[in-house]
Amino acid sequence: MILGLCVVRGEMKVILKYSRCLAVCHTVLPEGDGSSDKITYQAASPDEAALVTAAKNFGFFFYRRTPTSIMVREANTEKMGSVHDVTYEILNVLEFNSTRKRQSVVCRCPSGRLILYCKGADTVIYERLAGGNSDIKKITREHLEQFGSSGLRTLCLAYKELSSELYEKWNEKFIQAKSSLRDREKRLDEVAELIENDLVLIGCTAIEDKLQEGVPMCIETLSRAGIKIWVLTGDKMETAINIAYACNLINNAMKQFIISSETDPIREAEDRGDPVEIARVIKDSVKQELDRYLEEAQELLRSPYGPKLSLIIDGKCLMYALDLTLRVSLLKLSLNCSSVVCCRVSPLQKAQVTSLVKKGARKITLSIGDGANDVSMIQAAHVGVGISGLEGMQAVMASDFAIAQFRFLTELLLVHGRWSYLRLCKVITYFFYKNLTFTLTQFWFTFHTGFSGQRYYDDWFQSLYNVIFTALPVIIVGLFDKDVSASISKRYPELYKAGIRNTFFTWKVVAIWAFFSIYQSLIIYYFTTASSRNAHNSSGKIFGLWDVSTMSFTCIVLTVNIRLLMACNSLTRWHHISAWGSILAWFLFIFVYSGIMTPRDRQENEYFVIYVLMSTFYFYFALLLIPIVSLMGDFLYQGIQRLIFPYDYQIVQEIHRHDPEETRRQLLEIGHNLTPDEAASFAVARLPRETSKHTGFAFDSPGFESFFASQAGVFAPHKPWDVVRRASAKSKHRTSKN
Amino acid sequence: MEMDGASSSASGGAAQAILLTSRKPRVFYRFTQQNLPACRPALTPTLIITIFLLTGVVFLPVGLVCLRASESVEELVLRYDTECIPEIYRSNKVAYIKDVSISKKCKLNIKLRNYMKAPVYVYYELDNYYQNHRRYIKSRSDQQLLHGLQQKDISSCKSMESSNGLPIVPCGLISWSLFNDTFAFDVKGGKLNVNRTNISWKSDRDHKFSKNVYPFNFQNDSLIGGGKLDPSIPLSEHEDLIVWMRVSALPKFRKLYGVIEEDLDAGELLTVHLANNYNTYNSGGKKKLVLTTSNWLGSKNNFLGLSYIATGGCNILLAILFALIHVKFPRPHYDTSHLQWNKRGSAR
């Protein structure tokens, strides 16, 4: 994970200080016995553990921590091959938090010297450096920029020697602050400020935070699906822009609008140090830039072949841009941009931006992140997705969906999300339809009963209609309906746009269902009543109300269940079992119900009715005619709709109608013929998650995949990528889309 | 129709490999992973045209058969509610029908147009008579019809459960309003016999109306709704009551009165002697007498046949229409220009 280590002027002393700083200034806990290959480090952030591991590799092996000391086994410090344990007495720990952006440790060396080691964000450290030594500052600054632009996360290391009387004086204040009851945090910060100054720069570290496999591909697919992607990251602007380039979010053909706080006027104001003035200056410049860019954006959008736009804004400016007065223009500008990158943002700002889009633009938002700092954003969005990775489980705990890698977002949205949307729409509209159809027949009957409210159907029919006769098929559709297969869903991400436009659940769709349920109820009611006025068999006997209503109900159960099969895009055997089973259930029910008389005093209206009905030819003729006439309207509509106004998914269905579908055999082959890249990511995805928290640097555990395979009873040969670097499983991507 | 395999995620493939070993987990796995084999019906123009043609071709002959059956039935309808009231009472029909002292006898003549083959069924038809009114339908006790006076709780018969402090058997509004017009027929040769047995559904007779329950305290009140019942005959043999108590679905309905078991010749003059007792004049109802023959599909009703023919015809027309549309404006299946995202260009 440690990719670059910058030591200015390769002097031995500086290198020692550098490594010692890494080994001492941290809040890591070692676990396991003291041998260097068995130890694991417990750290709040993986970066910290990585830095301590780096120190270990440089010969400063931190192996034990007591409440007041840190023990480091230093190798090769005096001469090559020498190893001796050194105990540093830890006097104070000034902990990291997001406002301080740094962390310090005051320790007493074995020689008795008091030293403060500090590591933190470059901006914070540079503010607190002692004068002089401009060479090292300049070179380190250059390095920082280099590292930043190659997408690495950087930290600066610094130290300061303390005289004992200065320390004693400060320590009193520190203890006071520490034991204060009110505003302890704030006071601690203030006290820390007193000692963390006049630092001497040692160097900087850079940590590569590798993008996960397939992220650029995934992002490109998602943007083809009509999803706009916003990156909200705590990284520096350079890093963020680089990542955005790497993910295809920004490219050189795009017009970039950058709103940064790193401009001269702002820096000048900051130098003067008046917080009120700083705020005013930043706010003014943010307002100016927003207005200017908005104008420019509208001009560019007016020209038909103008470039795509992207907005990059940093946290400090965002703080002012999110102000009530500027919020509207920020939203307007960012909605015109095809990608937005917000860098250096705090967790709170992430949530603010998310709810800005959610409430301001009234779009559906999805937040995805892996770290604890993404939790608020995940909770603010409509849909929260957590990536279970190295940075702990907080994001996963707070999320609605947890996935293992960023790229699985494609699968989650384009396949399962889209299917769910289609299924939900179908289930809701169908429920509406089947109840409307049923109830309307009752409604038409009311007009012929002198408005007395007599029920058309037997009580039990009404009660069981939604419970048995039409219940299961719609559940099956809600579970299994697929318009196109998963692979085609991913191949045509544009299909997802139907969901964004909410094509399948508009008033129009509901109105069409309602129209056809009115039509069907009219057909069913009037056809049964009109055709049943006279005698229906050769013995001249006449039907009564309950015969007619049972006939109607039989037609309804048949019609409604067959209508569901007509609405399905794919019919599994469960569809057939449930739909025809429901119809069968109705007949079984009515055979039993018509055959019994209860001893209770109730109206035995249905007694023998179905047998009377089924003894006539009329029953069979009507049963053939009425459902078919009812469904003819829907069928005609479906035919015309498909022929003349086809939905996208229908065209895609037709394109792939004659494709040899991926059969099960092929699927198995895919499992064995992975490209090395795919195989590696597959193995990463299969790594056990419980142990992942404790490992920091590299994950040297060969044969993981074969281990799993052997557990499942399948032989799998060792593969080169079995040694998987844990680093590649990690992501540093938080995006929010609308 | 095609068979849809499954999704093709790489991880899914390997996981399947593991689960393929035994059959039961595989079925379960495919169920939970929604990878069941599915047929995917696509509504191609050919399929649409085929289905329309097929239904059309099946429905037309079925319709013709039904229509022919219905047309072969000979039906005679005679409205008598006005004609059976003497001229002087026509302005106040209700007073006439309520006055018990006036004889309600009435004689009407019908000339038969066509030959009617036995059995000829005699129906009475009432219009604007709401037998399906909620309070009317509720007012009966099926338990009393089975157990007679043993059934103490007859609260469901409300408003007609007892009179003079004694329970009524059969209780309720439906039986109270029993239709009581009578019909007798003369031809040249003499009296025609009208068989009034076996006019109700057998299941009603055998299981809903008891052989051991006799009418009791029936129509003894001052307010008389309709026909009276002979207290010495059990309920199961009062077939006109059984017919009447199978309530009708709509306010216009027919009920079977009896069967004439002789052939009637064409042109024969039929004299109907009827007692116009039943009061439908309050509600402005109509009363009709219907004589009809019957066949395997029942009596005359063209509705079924006509709707079969209409549907069949429509379907064939639609099939032709679809074929025309398909030929004139074809939309090839491989044509992607109809895709929304190709039409508008991708949105920013």
Side-chain angles (χ1 to χ4, degrees), chain A residues 295-355:
Chain A
E295 220 167 89
E296 208 173 317
Q298 273 157 355
E299 214 155 275
L300 286 170
L301 283 177
R302 243 172 269 140
S303 64
Y305 297 106
K308 286 190 172 183
L309 312 174
S310 62
L311 173 69
I312 297 137
I313 184 166
D314 77 355
K316 225 181 246 174
C317 295
L318 193 63
M319 191 163 81
Y320 296 97
L322 284 172
D323 189 273
L324 278 177
T325 48
L326 297 180
R327 203 174 261 190
V328 180
S329 31
L330 173 71
L331 195 64
K332 261 192 212 158
L333 177 62
S334 47
L335 289 181
N336 282 329
C337 295
S338 40
S339 50
V340 178
V341 178
C342 304
C343 37
R344 278 278 184 238
V345 290
S346 66
L348 178 66
Q349 283 180 324
K350 289 182 183 177
Q352 280 176 332
V353 172
T354 311
S355 44

Coordinates of all heavy atoms in Angstrom, one line a residue, chain A residues 295-355:
Chain A
E295 N -24.1 31.0 -16.4 CA -24.4 31.7 -17.7 C -23.7 31.0 -18.9 O -24.3 30.7 -19.9 CB -23.8 33.1 -17.6 CG -24.6 34.2 -18.2 CD -24.1 35.6 -17.8 OE1 -23.2 36.1 -18.5 OE2 -24.6 36.1 -16.8
E296 N -22.4 30.6 -18.6 CA -21.6 29.9 -19.6 C -22.3 28.6 -20.0 O -22.4 28.2 -21.1 CB -20.2 29.7 -19.0 CG -19.2 29.6 -20.0 CD -17.8 29.6 -19.4 OE1 -17.6 30.3 -18.4 OE2 -17.0 28.7 -19.8
A297 N -22.7 27.9 -18.9 CA -23.3 26.6 -19.1 C -24.6 26.7 -20.0 O -24.7 25.9 -20.9 CB -23.7 25.9 -17.8
Q298 N -25.4 27.7 -19.7 CA -26.6 27.8 -20.5 C -26.3 28.1 -21.9 O -27.0 27.7 -22.9 CB -27.5 28.9 -19.9 CG -28.4 28.3 -18.8 CD -28.9 29.2 -17.8 OE1 -28.5 30.4 -17.8 NE2 -29.7 28.8 -16.9
E299 N -25.3 28.9 -22.1 CA -24.8 29.2 -23.5 C -24.4 28.0 -24.2 O -24.8 27.7 -25.4 CB -23.7 30.3 -23.4 CG -23.7 31.2 -24.6 CD -23.0 32.5 -24.2 OE1 -23.7 33.4 -23.6 OE2 -21.8 32.6 -24.5
L300 N -23.6 27.2 -23.5 CA -23.0 26.0 -24.1 C -24.1 25.0 -24.4 O -24.1 24.3 -25.5 CB -22.0 25.3 -23.2 CG -20.6 26.1 -23.2 CD1 -19.8 25.5 -22.0 CD2 -19.9 25.9 -24.5
L301 N -25.1 24.9 -23.5 CA -26.2 24.0 -23.7 C -27.0 24.3 -24.9 O -27.7 23.5 -25.5 CB -27.0 23.8 -22.5 CG -26.4 23.0 -21.4 CD1 -27.3 23.1 -20.2 CD2 -26.1 21.6 -21.8
R302 N -27.1 25.6 -25.2 CA -27.9 26.1 -26.3 C -27.4 25.6 -27.7 O -28.1 25.3 -28.6 CB -28.1 27.6 -26.3 CG -29.6 28.0 -26.0 CD -29.7 29.5 -25.8 NE -29.6 29.8 -24.4 CZ -29.0 30.9 -23.9 NH1 -28.3 31.7 -24.7 NH2 -28.9 31.1 -22.6
S303 N -26.1 25.6 -27.8 CA -25.5 25.1 -29.0 C -25.6 23.6 -29.1 O -25.4 22.9 -28.1 CB -24.0 25.5 -29.1 OG -23.3 24.9 -28.1
P304 N -26.0 23.1 -30.2 CA -26.4 21.7 -30.3 C -25.2 20.7 -30.1 O -25.4 19.7 -29.5 CB -27.0 21.5 -31.7 CG -26.4 22.7 -32.5 CD -26.2 23.8 -31.5
Y305 N -24.0 21.1 -30.5 CA -22.9 20.2 -30.4 C -21.9 20.7 -29.3 O -20.7 20.4 -29.4 CB -22.3 19.9 -31.7 CG -23.2 19.3 -32.7 CD1 -23.8 20.1 -33.7 CD2 -23.6 18.0 -32.5 CE1 -24.7 19.5 -34.6 CE2 -24.5 17.4 -33.4 CZ -25.1 18.1 -34.4 OH -26.0 17.6 -35.2
G306 N -22.4 21.4 -28.3 CA -21.5 21.9 -27.3 C -20.9 20.7 -26.5 O -21.5 19.6 -26.5
P307 N -19.9 21.0 -25.8 CA -19.3 19.9 -25.0 C -20.1 19.6 -23.8 O -21.0 20.4 -23.4 CB -17.9 20.5 -24.6 CG -18.2 22.0 -24.5 CD -19.2 22.3 -25.6
K308 N -19.9 18.4 -23.2 CA -20.5 18.1 -22.0 C -19.9 18.9 -20.9 O -18.7 19.3 -21.0 CB -20.4 16.6 -21.7 CG -21.3 15.7 -22.6 CD -21.3 14.3 -22.1 CE -22.3 13.5 -22.8 NZ -22.4 12.1 -22.3
L309 N -20.6 19.0 -19.8 CA -20.1 19.9 -18.7 C -19.8 19.1 -17.5 O -20.4 18.1 -17.2 CB -21.1 21.0 -18.4 CG -21.7 21.7 -19.6 CD1 -22.8 22.6 -19.1 CD2 -20.7 22.5 -20.3
S310 N -18.8 19.6 -16.7 CA -18.6 18.9 -15.4 C -18.3 20.0 -14.4 O -17.7 21.1 -14.7 CB -17.5 17.9 -15.5 OG -16.3 18.6 -15.9
L311 N -18.6 19.8 -13.2 CA -18.4 20.8 -12.1 C -17.6 20.1 -11.1 O -17.8 19.0 -10.7 CB -19.8 21.2 -11.5 CG -19.7 22.0 -10.3 CD1 -19.2 23.4 -10.6 CD2 -21.1 22.1 -9.6
I312 N -16.5 20.9 -10.6 CA -15.7 20.4 -9.6 C -15.7 21.5 -8.5 O -15.4 22.6 -8.8 CB -14.3 20.1 -10.1 CG1 -14.3 19.0 -11.1 CG2 -13.4 19.7 -8.9 CD1 -13.5 19.3 -12.3
I313 N -16.0 21.1 -7.3 CA -16.1 22.1 -6.2 C -15.5 21.5 -5.0 O -15.6 20.3 -4.7 CB -17.6 22.5 -6.0 CG1 -17.7 23.6 -5.0 CG2 -18.5 21.3 -5.7 CD1 -19.1 24.3 -5.0
D314 N -14.8 22.3 -4.2 CA -14.2 21.8 -3.0 C -15.1 22.1 -1.8 O -16.0 22.9 -1.8 CB -12.8 22.2 -2.8 CG -12.6 23.6 -2.4 OD1 -13.6 24.3 -2.3 OD2 -11.4 24.0 -2.1
G315 N -14.8 21.4 -0.7 CA -15.6 21.5 0.5 C -15.8 22.9 1.1 O -16.9 23.2 1.5
K316 N -14.7 23.7 1.1 CA -14.9 25.0 1.6 C -15.8 25.8 0.9 O -16.7 26.5 1.4 CB -13.5 25.6 1.6 CG -13.1 26.3 3.0 CD -11.8 26.9 2.9 CE -10.8 26.3 3.8 NZ -9.4 26.8 3.6
C317 N -15.7 25.8 -0.5 CA -16.7 26.6 -1.3 C -18.1 26.0 -1.2 O -19.0 26.7 -1.2 CB -16.2 26.5 -2.7 SG -14.6 27.3 -3.0
L318 N -18.1 24.7 -1.1 CA -19.4 24.0 -1.0 C -20.2 24.5 0.2 O -21.4 24.7 0.1 CB -19.2 22.5 -1.0 CG -20.5 21.7 -1.2 CD1 -21.0 21.9 -2.6 CD2 -20.2 20.2 -1.1
M319 N -19.4 24.7 1.3 CA -20.1 25.2 2.5 C -20.9 26.5 2.2 O -22.0 26.6 2.7 CB -19.0 25.4 3.5 CG -19.5 25.7 4.9 SD -18.2 25.4 6.1 CE -17.4 27.0 6.0
Y320 N -20.3 27.3 1.4 CA -21.0 28.6 1.1 C -22.0 28.4 0.0 O -23.0 29.1 0.0 CB -20.0 29.7 0.8 CG -19.1 30.0 2.0 CD1 -17.8 29.4 2.1 CD2 -19.5 30.8 3.0 CE1 -17.0 29.6 3.2 CE2 -18.8 31.1 4.1 CZ -17.5 30.5 4.2 OH -16.8 30.7 5.4
A321 N -21.7 27.5 -0.9 CA -22.6 27.3 -2.0 C -23.9 26.7 -1.5 O -24.9 26.8 -2.1 CB -21.9 26.4 -3.1
L322 N -23.8 25.9 -0.4 CA -25.0 25.3 0.1 C -25.8 26.3 0.9 O -26.9 25.9 1.4 CB -24.6 24.1 1.0 CG -24.2 22.8 0.2 CD1 -23.6 21.8 1.2 CD2 -25.3 22.3 -0.6
D323 N -25.3 27.5 1.0 CA -26.1 28.5 1.7 C -27.4 28.8 1.0 O -27.5 28.6 -0.2 CB -25.2 29.8 1.7 CG -25.9 30.9 2.6 OD1 -26.7 31.6 2.1 OD2 -25.5 30.9 3.8
L324 N -28.4 29.1 1.8 CA -29.8 29.3 1.2 C -29.8 30.1 -0.1 O -30.5 29.8 -1.0 CB -30.7 29.8 2.2 CG -31.3 28.8 3.2 CD1 -32.2 29.5 4.2 CD2 -32.0 27.7 2.5
T325 N -29.0 31.2 -0.1 CA -29.1 32.1 -1.2 C -28.5 31.6 -2.4 O -28.9 31.9 -3.6 CB -28.4 33.5 -0.8 OG1 -27.1 33.1 -0.3 CG2 -29.2 34.3 0.2
L326 N -27.4 30.7 -2.3 CA -26.7 30.2 -3.5 C -27.2 28.9 -3.9 O -26.8 28.4 -5.0 CB -25.2 30.2 -3.2 CG -24.6 31.6 -2.9 CD1 -23.1 31.4 -2.6 CD2 -24.8 32.5 -4.1
R327 N -27.9 28.2 -3.0 CA -28.3 26.8 -3.2 C -29.0 26.6 -4.6 O -28.6 25.7 -5.3 CB -29.3 26.4 -2.2 CG -29.4 25.0 -1.9 CD -30.3 24.7 -0.7 NE -29.5 24.5 0.5 CZ -30.0 24.1 1.6 NH1 -31.3 23.9 1.7 NH2 -29.3 23.9 2.7
V328 N -29.8 27.6 -5.0 CA -30.6 27.4 -6.2 C -29.7 27.4 -7.4 O -29.7 26.6 -8.3 CB -31.7 28.5 -6.3 CG1 -32.4 28.3 -7.6 CG2 -32.6 28.5 -5.2
S329 N -28.7 28.4 -7.4 CA -27.8 28.4 -8.6 C -26.9 27.2 -8.6 O -26.6 26.7 -9.7 CB -27.1 29.7 -8.7 OG -26.8 30.2 -7.4
L330 N -26.5 26.8 -7.4 CA -25.6 25.6 -7.4 C -26.4 24.4 -8.0 O -25.8 23.7 -8.9 CB -25.3 25.2 -6.0 CG -24.5 23.9 -5.8 CD1 -23.1 24.0 -6.3 CD2 -24.5 23.5 -4.3
L331 N -27.6 24.3 -7.6 CA -28.4 23.1 -8.1 C -28.6 23.2 -9.6 O -28.5 22.3 -10.4 CB -29.8 23.1 -7.4 CG -30.6 21.9 -7.5 CD1 -29.9 20.7 -6.9 CD2 -31.9 22.0 -6.9
K332 N -28.9 24.5 -10.1 CA -29.2 24.6 -11.5 C -27.9 24.3 -12.3 O -28.0 23.5 -13.3 CB -29.5 26.1 -11.8 CG -31.0 26.4 -11.9 CD -31.1 27.8 -12.5 CE -32.4 28.4 -12.0 NZ -32.4 29.9 -12.0
L333 N -26.8 24.8 -11.8 CA -25.5 24.5 -12.5 C -25.2 23.0 -12.5 O -24.9 22.5 -13.6 CB -24.4 25.3 -11.9 CG -23.0 25.1 -12.5 CD1 -23.0 25.5 -13.9 CD2 -22.0 25.9 -11.7
S334 N -25.4 22.4 -11.4 CA -24.9 21.0 -11.3 C -25.9 20.1 -12.0 O -25.5 19.1 -12.6 CB -24.8 20.6 -9.8 OG -26.0 21.0 -9.1
L335 N -27.1 20.5 -12.2 CA -28.0 19.6 -12.9 C -27.8 19.7 -14.4 O -28.1 18.8 -15.2 CB -29.5 20.0 -12.6 CG -30.0 19.6 -11.3 CD1 -31.4 20.0 -11.1 CD2 -29.8 18.1 -11.0
N336 N -27.1 20.8 -14.8 CA -26.8 21.0 -16.2 C -25.5 20.2 -16.5 O -25.2 20.0 -17.7 CB -26.6 22.4 -16.6 CG -27.9 23.1 -16.8 OD1 -28.9 22.5 -17.2 ND2 -28.0 24.4 -16.5
C337 N -24.8 19.8 -15.5 CA -23.5 19.1 -15.7 C -23.7 17.6 -15.8 O -24.6 17.1 -15.1 CB -22.5 19.4 -14.6 SG -22.1 21.2 -14.6
S338 N -22.9 17.0 -16.6 CA -23.1 15.5 -16.7 C -22.4 14.8 -15.6 O -22.7 13.7 -15.2 CB -22.7 15.0 -18.0 OG -21.6 15.6 -18.5
S339 N -21.4 15.5 -15.0 CA -20.8 14.9 -13.8 C -20.4 16.0 -12.9 O -20.0 17.1 -13.3 CB -19.6 14.0 -14.2 OG -18.7 14.7 -15.0
V340 N -20.5 15.7 -11.6 CA -20.1 16.6 -10.5 C -19.2 16.0 -9.6 O -19.4 14.8 -9.2 CB -21.4 17.1 -9.8 CG1 -21.0 18.1 -8.7 CG2 -22.4 17.7 -10.7
V341 N -18.1 16.7 -9.2 CA -17.2 16.1 -8.3 C -17.0 17.1 -7.1 O -16.7 18.3 -7.3 CB -15.8 15.9 -8.9 CG1 -14.8 15.4 -7.9 CG2 -15.9 15.0 -10.1
C342 N -17.3 16.7 -5.9 CA -17.2 17.5 -4.8 C -16.0 16.9 -4.0 O -16.1 15.7 -3.6 CB -18.4 17.5 -3.9 SG -19.9 18.1 -4.8
C343 N -15.0 17.6 -3.7 CA -13.8 17.1 -3.0 C -13.7 17.8 -1.7 O -14.2 18.9 -1.5 CB -12.6 17.2 -3.8 SG -12.5 18.7 -4.8
R344 N -12.9 17.2 -0.8 CA -12.6 17.7 0.5 C -13.9 18.0 1.3 O -14.1 19.0 1.9 CB -11.8 19.0 0.4 CG -10.4 18.8 0.2 CD -9.7 18.6 1.5 NE -8.2 18.5 1.4 CZ -7.6 17.4 1.8 NH1 -8.2 16.4 2.3 NH2 -6.3 17.4 1.7
V345 N -14.9 17.2 1.1 CA -16.2 17.4 1.7 C -16.3 16.6 3.0 O -15.8 15.5 3.1 CB -17.4 17.1 0.9 CG1 -17.5 18.1 -0.3 CG2 -17.4 15.7 0.3
S346 N -17.0 17.2 4.0 CA -17.1 16.5 5.3 C -18.3 15.6 5.2 O -19.2 15.8 4.3 CB -17.4 17.5 6.4 OG -18.6 18.2 6.2
P347 N -18.5 14.6 6.1 CA -19.6 13.8 6.0 C -20.9 14.5 6.0 O -21.9 14.2 5.3 CB -19.5 12.9 7.3 CG -18.0 12.9 7.6 CD -17.5 14.2 7.1
L348 N -21.0 15.6 6.8 CA -22.2 16.3 6.9 C -22.6 16.9 5.5 O -23.7 16.9 5.1 CB -22.1 17.5 7.9 CG -23.3 18.3 8.0 CD1 -24.5 17.5 8.6 CD2 -23.1 19.5 8.9
Q349 N -21.5 17.5 4.9 CA -21.7 18.1 3.5 C -22.2 17.0 2.5 O -23.0 17.3 1.7 CB -20.5 18.7 3.1 CG -20.2 20.1 3.7 CD -19.0 20.7 3.3 OE1 -18.0 20.1 3.0 NE2 -19.0 22.0 3.2
K350 N -21.7 15.8 2.7 CA -22.1 14.8 1.8 C -23.7 14.6 1.9 O -24.4 14.5 0.9 CB -21.5 13.5 2.1 CG -20.0 13.4 1.7 CD -19.4 12.1 2.1 CE -17.9 12.0 1.8 NZ -17.3 10.8 2.1
A351 N -24.1 14.6 3.1 CA -25.5 14.4 3.4 C -26.3 15.6 2.9 O -27.4 15.5 2.3 CB -25.8 14.2 4.9
Q352 N -25.7 16.8 3.0 CA -26.4 18.0 2.6 C -26.5 18.0 1.1 O -27.6 18.4 0.5 CB -25.6 19.3 3.0 CG -25.8 19.6 4.5 CD -25.0 20.8 4.9 OE1 -23.9 21.0 4.3 NE2 -25.4 21.6 5.9
V353 N -25.5 17.6 0.4 CA -25.5 17.6 -1.1 C -26.6 16.6 -1.5 O -27.4 16.9 -2.4 CB -24.2 17.3 -1.7 CG1 -24.3 17.0 -3.2 CG2 -23.2 18.4 -1.4
T354 N -26.6 15.5 -0.9 CA -27.6 14.4 -1.2 C -29.0 15.0 -1.1 O -29.8 14.8 -1.9 CB -27.4 13.2 -0.4 OG1 -26.0 12.8 -0.4 CG2 -28.2 12.0 -0.9
S355 N -29.2 15.6 0.1 CA -30.6 16.0 0.3 C -30.9 17.3 -0.6 O -32.1 17.5 -0.9 CB -30.9 16.3 1.7 OG -29.9 17.0 2.3

